Amino acid sequence: MTVVAGGAAAARPRLIRAINEQVLLDHIRRSGPVSRSELATLTGLSKPTVSAALSSIERAGLVHATGQRTGSPGPAAILYEVRPEAGFVLGLDVGREYLRGGIADLAGTVRSRLSVRTKAGDAMARVQELADLATKLQGEAGIQASQLVQTVIGSPGVYDPRLDTLTLTGRLSGWDSPAVLTALRASFGATLMIENDVDAAALAERVHGHGRGVDSFAFVSVGTGIGMGLVLDGKLRHGSHGVAGEIAYLPFTEGSGSDARDARKRGSFDASASAAAVVRAARRAGLRGASSAEKVFAAAARGDAVAAAVVAEEALLVAKAVCSVIAVVDPDLIVLGGGIGQAPGFLEAVVGQLRRLAPVLPDVKASVLGTETVVAGCIAAGLDQAWEQLVGQISPT
């Protein structure tokens, strides 16, 4: 008993130091450049405690002195900020048609960004294309693979860490095979994280978009596929099984034929309201040239009555799904994303239906982030994870 107690007592100061270092790093990341006295004020820690923790993370190469603040009484204060070259984060977005990626340093500055059309005929070929894209990004950023401290892949589907499985991968044929996770880890190493692509987009909204400073919001993506990222109390929520936000499976009418097949594979709401469903509805209504949802929306904008009716029905379906989210979660904000969610005039149509359906009407906005949204979210998630790992590697003094 004495040995255990002594060990616990010895470990306690190390734990406290690690916590202090994490707190300081977090404030420097978000507030820097910042001085020691400002860090003491921000954290509530004593100046000696701040000095000790700051010295530790500076020796570890995570922060550096970047200048002095002058113009106030007393000696000039030394300012500290994150040392960007302490590591790099790779974010990748794996889609059915395109692969996108970016590399950022630890200060969050993007050093390289690329987008390529995939030619992969199967899942394993897609893994190789991701690895090739990562190599190109590293070359453009001027870094080696060993300098990457975190890799995050934004992927359709749900990753369950308890079972170590990737499921519900939608239109990426074969992507739910266990061999895919094995191949991804072989290509990207132990620091690989898998994040749902719509959840990653929600993270991008929290950092760069309408979600900045918003405590709770839902990012609803409607396009080739349908999904939702849910941020509550400032944190992305995955749920007990990783399926929080999988609104594609809301029980809308399954229909028959291809609609019913899509509903079984990808969820009833996806079968009713995705881009493919918009095209099917337009063709059934007799709209000529309805080869894509974009063309249907364009025809509606030109005043075509048939196309306008299809778009109105789509707005009603999306409003019903959003109304369900409002009734269950009551978020401060709804952000619409995806090709349909961001289509001109669609926001207003959805809001019009929500005024009739919803018990309350939160702010509803269309995302202003572009095609790099998932990559930006992956980088944001990677930076948070990277800093946690780097702080944990600091040797206690």
Side-chain angles (χ1 to χ4, degrees):
M1 294 294 292
T2 304
V3 173
V4 174
R12 193 172 297 116
R14 292 197 295 271
L15 176 61
I16 292 172
R17 283 198 296 271
I19 292 172
N20 291 341
E21 290 159 1
Q22 177 70 63
V23 168
L24 252 64
L25 263 177
D26 189 59
H27 280 285
I28 294 171
R29 282 182 63 197
R30 304 182 193 284
S31 307
V34 62
S35 69
R36 292 176 189 242
S37 61
E38 288 168 337
L39 284 169
T41 300
L42 287 168
T43 62
L45 298 172
S46 68
K47 289 184 179 180
T49 299
V50 167
S51 293
L54 190 57
S55 295
S56 180
I57 60 178
E58 187 176 14
R59 284 196 302 272
L62 301 182
V63 301
H64 62 174
T66 188
Q68 295 181 329
R69 178 170 289 130
T70 59
S72 57
I78 298 175
L79 300 177
Y80 294 86
E81 68 178 6
V82 166
R83 191 173 75 84
E85 296 78 14
F88 297 86
V89 170
L90 168 65
L92 295 169
D93 172 16
V94 52
R96 188 182 181 188
E97 295 185 17
Y98 287 92
L99 304 180
R100 296 182 171 93
I103 289 177
D105 60 34
L106 286 189
T109 301
V110 175
R111 299 293 189 94
S112 62
R113 196 192 309 269
L114 289 171
S115 175
V116 297
R117 184 180 285 273
T118 178
K119 300 177 181 177
D122 56 41
M124 301 310 292
R126 185 171 274 105
V127 171
Q128 185 58 54
E129 285 186 340
L130 281 173
D132 294 342
L133 177 59
T135 300
K136 292 177 183 177
L137 286 163
Q138 292 161 30
E140 188 174 289
I143 67 167
Q144 302 296 317
S146 59
Q147 294 175 269
L148 292 172
V149 294
Q150 190 67 52
T151 297
V152 181
I153 295 178
S155 167
V158 174
Y159 175 69
D160 187 339
R162 298 175 305 175
L163 301 176
D164 192 31
T165 57
L166 185 62
T167 59
L168 306 180
T169 53
R171 292 168 174 82
L172 285 189
S173 178
W175 198 245
D176 54 356
S177 166
V180 168
L181 282 176
T182 300
L184 287 172
R185 288 175 179 140
S187 296
F188 297 103
T191 63
L192 174 67
M193 285 174 53
I194 306 292
E195 185 64 87
N196 174 267
D197 52 359
V198 180
D199 283 346
L203 287 175
E205 283 290 338
R206 180 174 65 83
V207 176
H208 304 289
H210 294 307
R212 282 178 293 183
V214 179
D215 189 54
S216 65
F217 71 92
F219 176 84
V220 178
S221 179
V222 185
T224 303
I226 290 176
M228 180 180 75
L230 188 61
V231 173
L232 298 176
D233 299 324
K235 296 181 179 180
L236 182 66
R237 302 300 180 178
H238 294 93
S240 296
H241 304 89
V243 299
E246 289 295 319
I247 60 172
Y249 291 86
L250 288 175
F252 283 71
T253 302
E254 294 186 4
S256 60
S258 60
D259 287 359
R261 289 193 295 273
D262 273 359
R264 287 192 294 271
K265 288 181 180 179
R266 304 179 185 100
S268 181
F269 183 42
D270 186 291
S272 302
S274 66
V278 169
V279 171
R280 286 198 297 265
R283 288 175 176 172
R284 287 176 190 143
L287 183 66
R288 294 182 178 181
S291 58
S292 68
E294 183 179 6
K295 289 186 177 180
V296 176
F297 274 76
R302 292 194 303 268
D304 186 290
V306 174
V310 172
V311 170
E313 179 63 22
E314 175 73 1
L316 175 59
L317 288 170
V318 172
K320 286 181 177 180
V322 170
C323 183
S324 300
V325 175
I326 293 171
V328 173
V329 180
D330 189 19
D332 297 316
L333 169 69
I334 302 288
V335 180
L336 296 181
I340 291 176
Q342 293 173 264
F346 191 68
L347 170 69
E348 292 77 13
V350 172
V351 170
Q353 295 290 352
L354 285 173
R355 287 197 178 97
R356 182 175 62 86
L357 296 171
V360 296
L361 185 62
D363 284 342
V364 184
K365 299 179 179 179
S367 176
V368 295
L369 303 181
T371 57
E372 302 298 323
T373 304
V374 174
V375 172
C378 289
I379 288 174
L383 286 171
D384 287 342
Q385 185 69 20
W387 279 111
E388 284 187 21
Q389 293 178 356
L390 289 168
V391 171
Q393 294 169 7
I394 299 175
S395 299
T397 55

